[in-house]
């Protein structure tokens, strides 16, 4: 049995070919082993195990990389899920948000049985603008929520016109009726029957359809179609603004509707900018915001009790 000093010099007897390494003796010295006999109890490393480890190392490394990628994907999934939910919510707001401001006006007309404060030409502007926008989409596809918004808005305007026609006819004293078939420009968009409004929009749609089929290959026509649609939509508040100016009053007009117009136009313009929509869209939204601000100014100029109208 060797002393510790001899162990430190590597003097350690072990059976030839047993596979024990001298480094085991040095390790024994380092851990303060009293004799080499203790160190010889440490089993030697199996060379085949080392070869297996070396041969598996590329696969192991590849497996580790795959696990890291999966961990990154799992970590990014909650963020992507949140972004997806927000995108769906924003799209739903775009589709149905434009129609919501007309709910307070609809209720106001039902409650008062009077349409004096609401300009039905707002419906005319929105119907023409959204019909043109649908045909613009045929020539130049844009975001699907904007197309669906046009369909929802057209349906909403027909509901508003139907209610206005019903109220007019219930309050009408004269038996004289004004029909589209008379082709009298003095009573344009002041027809007695709701069916005349439907017929006018149908004829307008057919005309747009024929023009679009003939000139669909012309980029100039397609851009002009989209520009006209957005120009009309930008002037949405103009009929209401002019009617308030003519009457010097905002009585019968729902201020909630105008406030919701403003909020919706701000959201819509931001949506256009963030989604890099065609320039016509955000220019249209900016003009609408200005119109909304002018109508709200009329509320405070013409109605001393304006604050009560927000209730």
């Amino acid at each position: 049995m060797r002393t510790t000093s001899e162990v430190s010099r590597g003097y350690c007897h072990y059976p030839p070919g047993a596979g024990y390494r001298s480094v085991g003796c040095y390790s024994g010295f380092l851990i303060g082993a009293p004799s080499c006999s203790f160190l010889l109890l440490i089993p030697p490393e199996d060379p085949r195990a080392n070869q297996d480890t070396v041969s598996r190392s590329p696969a192991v490394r590849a497996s580790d990389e795959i696990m890291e990628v999966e961990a990154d994907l799992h970590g990014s999934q909650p963020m992507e899920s949140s972004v997806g939910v927000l995108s769906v919510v924003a799209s739903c707001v775009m589709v149905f948000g434009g129609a919501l401001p007309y709910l307070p006006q609809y209720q106001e007309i039902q409650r008062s049985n009077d349409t004096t404060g609401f300009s039905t030409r707002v419906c005319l502007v929105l119907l023409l603008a959204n019909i043109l926008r649908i045909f613009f989409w045929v020539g130049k596809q844009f975001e699907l929520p904007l197309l669906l918004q046009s369909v929802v808005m057209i349906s909403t305007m027909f509901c508003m016109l139907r209610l206005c026609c019903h109220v007019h006819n219930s309050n009408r004293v004269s038996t004289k009726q004004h029909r589209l078939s008379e082709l009298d420009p003095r009573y344009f968009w002041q027809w007695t029957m709701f069916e005349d409004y439907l017929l006018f929009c149908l004829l307008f749609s057919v005309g747009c359809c024929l023009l679009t089929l003939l000139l669909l290959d012309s980029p100039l026509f397609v851009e002009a179609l989209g520009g006209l649609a957005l120009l009309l939509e930008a002037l949405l508040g103009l009929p209401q603004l002019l009617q308030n100016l003519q009457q010097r009053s905002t009585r019968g007009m729902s201020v909630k509707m105008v406030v919701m117009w403003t909020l919706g136009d701000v959201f819509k313009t931001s949506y256009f900018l963030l989604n890099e929509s065609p320039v016509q869209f955000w220019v249209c939204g900016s003009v609408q915001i200005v119109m909304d601000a002018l109508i709200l100014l009329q509320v405070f100029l013409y109605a001393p009790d304006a604050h009560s109208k927000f209730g």
Side-chain angles (χ1 to χ4, degrees):
M1 186 174 296
R2 302 292 181 179
T3 62
T4 303
S5 60
E6 291 174 333
V7 172
S8 65
R9 290 194 297 270
Y11 298 114
C12 185
H13 292 288
Y14 50 87
Y20 292 91
R21 297 182 301 167
S22 60
V23 70
C25 299
Y26 291 107
S27 298
F29 169 73
L30 292 175
I31 63 175
S35 66
C36 187
S37 60
F38 172 80
L39 295 174
L40 294 176
L41 296 176
I42 300 175
E45 296 180 359
D46 188 357
R48 291 174 299 179
N50 291 334
Q51 292 177 359
D52 293 342
T53 304
V54 172
S55 63
R56 289 199 307 268
S57 59
V60 171
R61 286 197 300 269
S63 177
D64 292 341
E65 291 176 359
I66 293 175
M67 292 178 64
E68 291 178 0
V69 171
E70 290 180 349
D72 293 339
L73 290 176
H74 286 301
S76 62
Q77 280 180 353
M79 181 179 296
E80 293 177 354
S81 178
S82 301
V83 173
V85 170
L86 290 176
S87 178
V88 171
V89 171
S91 298
C92 291
V93 171
M94 283 300 300
V95 172
F96 299 102
L100 290 179
Y102 297 95
L103 180 59
Q105 185 65 66
Y106 190 93
Q107 294 173 334
E108 175 68 19
I109 294 174
Q110 279 187 322
R111 183 190 62 81
S112 63
N113 199 35
D114 184 15
T115 63
T116 304
F118 176 69
S119 175
T120 55
R121 295 186 186 274
V122 170
C123 301
L124 170 64
V125 171
L126 279 176
L127 285 169
L128 297 183
N130 285 281
I131 291 172
L132 288 173
R133 187 197 285 184
I134 290 175
F135 288 103
F136 177 49
W137 184 87
V138 174
K140 185 176 182 180
Q141 281 75 29
F142 46 83
E143 292 86 350
L144 183 61
L146 298 179
L147 177 65
L148 297 177
Q149 182 195 53
S150 294
V151 176
V152 172
M153 188 60 69
I154 290 173
S155 302
T156 303
M157 291 303 100
F158 281 142
C159 289
M160 292 294 298
L161 284 172
R162 186 173 182 277
L163 175 64
C164 290
C165 288
H166 175 73
V167 172
H168 281 154
N169 292 333
S170 63
N171 295 334
R172 184 164 50 90
V173 177
S174 173
T175 58
K176 173 67 176 176
Q177 292 188 352
H178 304 291
R179 304 299 302 267
L180 173 62
S181 57
E182 297 174 359
L183 301 178
D184 190 343
R186 295 176 300 172
Y187 298 104
F188 175 75
W189 209 252
Q190 298 178 24
W191 303 307
T192 305
M193 304 302 295
F194 172 65
E195 290 77 6
D196 289 329
Y197 297 95
L198 292 175
L199 179 60
F200 173 82
C201 291
L202 177 61
L203 294 174
F204 181 77
S205 300
V206 171
C208 290
C209 181
L210 293 176
L211 279 176
T212 303
L213 291 176
L214 291 174
L215 303 174
L216 185 60
D217 295 331
S218 172
L220 181 61
F221 170 77
V222 173
E223 292 297 332
L225 193 65
L228 180 59
L230 293 169
L231 176 62
L232 286 172
E233 187 174 351
L235 300 177
L236 161 65
L238 185 60
Q240 191 66 55
L241 184 72
L242 295 177
Q243 178 166 311
N244 295 343
L245 185 63
Q246 181 181 7
Q247 295 179 351
R248 297 286 176 178
S249 172
T250 58
R251 182 178 177 274
M253 182 194 73
S254 173
V255 182
K256 292 179 181 178
M257 177 186 70
V258 183
V259 171
M260 293 175 72
W261 273 358
T262 308
L263 296 176
D265 291 336
V266 170
F267 173 83
K268 180 172 63 177
T269 306
S270 303
Y271 179 89
F272 292 154
L273 291 172
L274 292 175
N275 286 274
E276 298 181 354
S277 299
V279 64
Q280 300 100 317
F281 283 93
W282 62 264
V283 170
C284 161
S286 301
V287 174
Q288 284 181 301
I289 294 173
V290 174
M291 288 286 183
D292 298 338
L294 291 176
I295 296 176
L296 288 175
L297 180 62
Q298 286 181 325
V299 172
F300 289 95
L301 289 177
Y302 297 150
D305 59 339
H307 295 286
S308 63
K309 299 179 74 174
F310 288 92

